[in-house]
Amino acid sequence: MRLPQLNVYRHDSDTRALVTLAGDIDWATAPLVSAALTTCVEDGIRTVDVDLTAVTFCDVSGLNAFLAVFHLATDAGATLQLHYPPPILARIIEIAGPCFLLHELHAVRPCSQWDVATAGSAL
């Protein structure tokens, strides 16, 4: 049995942080994602950019972690955006509805084009 692997790298520049995730995000590693991103907000970071270029898998546990930290960041007056998600994750986010997580340039198509009628037929 293969153990889940996730590496987290953080680079700060003033009140902005770039968090790069590499590996799988699932029930075993989502708490690590949540802790790393929550720490950014607690450290006073105002803009958290999450680079998902090297993420090979992300399930609903990861999506829930991103949503929870997004709301925490918003309550603290900060922003959190996902960049370069794997195509399947971008698609899941757009179909499920939390398009606000994605940086607009990295969405499969503009979130404004999604509605309830097209979401059901997109699968």
Side-chain angles (χ1 to χ4, degrees):
M1 181 172 135
R2 186 176 77 82
L3 294 175
Q5 178 71 34
L6 181 70
N7 293 309
V8 179
Y9 306 95
R10 176 178 165 182
H11 177 75
D12 293 0
S13 177
D14 296 321
T15 61
R16 184 175 206 128
L18 172 62
V19 177
T20 302
L21 304 175
D24 296 344
I25 305 172
D26 58 17
W27 65 271
T29 59
L32 177 60
V33 171
S34 183
L37 299 177
T38 297
T39 299
C40 289
V41 175
E42 290 172 347
D43 289 348
I45 298 296
R46 308 312 306 156
T47 303
V48 181
D49 294 304
V50 183
D51 182 355
L52 300 172
T53 304
V55 169
T56 53
F57 176 80
C58 183
D59 69 8
V60 71
S61 302
L63 182 55
N64 285 335
F66 293 132
L67 284 169
V69 177
F70 175 86
H71 291 296
L72 176 72
T74 300
D75 290 347
T79 62
L80 175 122
Q81 286 198 308
L82 306 181
H83 299 265
Y84 307 108
I88 189 66
L89 177 59
R91 192 89 169 137
I92 289 168
I93 289 171
E94 291 174 338
I95 291 170
C99 297
F100 50 83
L101 287 172
L102 294 176
H103 186 277
E104 187 174 324
L105 295 175
H106 305 129
V108 175
R109 63 180 168 158
C111 292
S112 60
Q113 293 181 8
W114 286 92
D115 63 24
V116 176
T118 59
S121 65
L123 294 174

